[in-house]
Amino acid sequence: MTSSAPRLRFGIIADPQYAAAEPDLRLDRYFTKSLDKLAEAVRRFNAEELDFVLTLGDVIDRGFENFDAVLSVYAGLRHQCLFLPGNHDFKVEAARLGEVHGRLGMAAPYYDLVRNGCRIVVIEGSDISLFAPPPGDPRRATAEEMLAVLRRAGAANAQTWNGGVGEAQLAWLSGRLALAEEAGETVIAMGHYPLFPHNEHNLWNAEAVAGLLVRSPAVAAYFCGHNHAGNYGELGGTHFVNFRGMVDTERENAFALVEVFDDRIDITGFGREPSRSLKLPVAARPGWP
């Protein structure tokens, strides 16, 4: 018998991408408007009983100084506020790259938390990239090699504004999934870069990360941003949801409320974000096996 009450309720925001800058009309991005859109989301979330609110990256578009204004809006939330960075969050002075995670209140680049039988696993997809590691960090050389391999293969996601997950993080992810399986928990993984379906915005080693998630019976879904148009796919019973970018359009907002039930995940979209109901595979339900 399944419970009629959700085990977990949380808010999702993707790509506010604030900057004190003129709009990019070609991409339909209105950077300054994100403060008002974010304030609307905060008011809506504050009217709900939530476990947390998580932003899927690109809090700013560029410039470390822009964190001040956008994070002051987040400060109005009465709920726990969780972040992961996107590629634009690292468009700051090289000397400040090492400060980005701390400015977002993150104790580590990737982390997890457990609430009421659900494990939220947060991935750092800019781990291996041309922009997040400080100059001289060996991960930049690894990024160049990874990108070169993808370009030779003609991969659509062979883009300088994507990134990859390193071997140490892959091992960590595998370990966290094993813990969830042992405890009979439901896992929702979060990251900035899409993993599936295939498109130019995907993580460089999307197949490796998606493979870990799909092979784990504990994993119900993966949530991401980065592709502002949004997307959805299902692979091996795992749901891959790409939330739409808040920064896009002059007036229309985009954010969501997520409820995790014993048998499904309900996503209530606001503005441009569609609503969805995602059935949970039996193994990802509480108390399995």
Side-chain angles (χ1 to χ4, degrees):
M1 183 176 179
T2 60
S3 170
S4 59
R7 291 190 284 146
L8 202 63
R9 301 183 86 233
F10 57 91
I12 284 286
I13 297 167
D15 302 83
Q17 219 161 305
Y18 168 74
E22 291 297 313
D24 185 330
L25 300 180
R26 182 179 62 87
L27 295 175
D28 202 19
R29 294 178 184 173
Y30 290 78
F31 308 110
T32 61
K33 300 290 185 182
S34 287
L35 295 185
D36 289 338
K37 293 178 183 180
L38 187 58
E40 179 189 356
V42 167
R43 288 192 296 272
R44 188 67 185 82
F45 289 149
N46 282 347
E48 303 285 343
E49 293 303 320
L50 302 178
D51 293 280
F52 56 84
V53 173
L54 191 146
T55 298
L56 295 164
D58 283 0
V59 177
I60 61 169
D61 181 73
R62 73 201 91 148
F64 199 89
E65 69 282 358
N66 285 311
F67 279 122
D68 290 343
V70 71
L71 291 178
S72 70
V73 181
Y74 278 101
L77 274 170
R78 69 183 185 91
H79 309 293
Q80 183 180 17
C81 191
L82 301 174
F83 291 99
L84 61 90
N87 53 307
H88 280 270
D89 294 312
F90 295 102
K91 292 184 76 171
V92 301
E93 304 93 324
R96 308 202 76 166
L97 285 171
E99 300 176 40
V100 170
H101 294 102
R103 189 68 184 90
L104 294 175
M106 299 170 62
Y110 42 92
Y111 61 95
D112 64 344
L113 62 151
V114 178
R115 300 283 173 82
N116 200 21
C118 297
R119 185 179 293 262
I120 304 299
V121 180
V122 176
I123 295 168
E124 171 54 286
S126 301
D127 182 17
I128 306 296
S129 65
L130 299 176
F131 46 81
D137 189 301
R139 287 176 297 166
R140 289 207 176 204
T142 302
E144 290 175 355
E145 294 167 4
M146 189 179 292
L147 182 57
V149 169
L150 289 170
R151 282 177 169 167
R152 286 196 295 271
N157 63 332
Q159 308 290 340
T160 58
W161 30 262
N162 292 330
V165 168
E167 292 298 327
Q169 188 179 171
L170 285 171
W172 172 86
L173 175 59
S174 180
R176 304 326 277 181
L177 296 180
L179 287 177
E181 291 165 18
E182 186 177 339
E185 296 163 346
T186 299
V187 172
I188 300 176
M190 310 272 195
H192 182 62
Y193 304 92
L195 302 178
F196 181 84
H198 301 293
N199 68 79
E200 65 177 1
H201 297 86
N202 282 18
L203 191 79
W204 285 343
N205 53 343
E207 291 82 0
V209 178
L212 279 177
L213 299 181
V214 170
R215 287 192 297 272
S216 172
V219 179
Y222 174 77
F223 292 169
C224 69
H226 194 48
N227 178 1
H228 293 201
N231 208 349
Y232 169 79
E234 183 268 327
L235 184 65
T238 301
H239 301 281
F240 292 82
V241 183
N242 187 159
F243 290 83
R244 297 184 180 185
M246 178 179 275
V247 71
D248 290 36
T249 78
E250 185 174 8
R251 295 182 177 85
E252 288 187 278
N253 212 338
F255 59 95
L257 187 153
V258 179
E259 296 176 295
V260 183
F261 293 86
D262 289 349
D263 60 347
R264 70 190 189 280
I265 298 174
D266 284 348
I267 299 173
T268 301
F270 296 88
R272 294 165 34 250
E273 185 61 49
S275 296
R276 309 175 190 272
S277 187
L278 312 174
K279 185 178 179 181
L280 291 188
V282 173
R285 298 177 188 179
W288 65 275

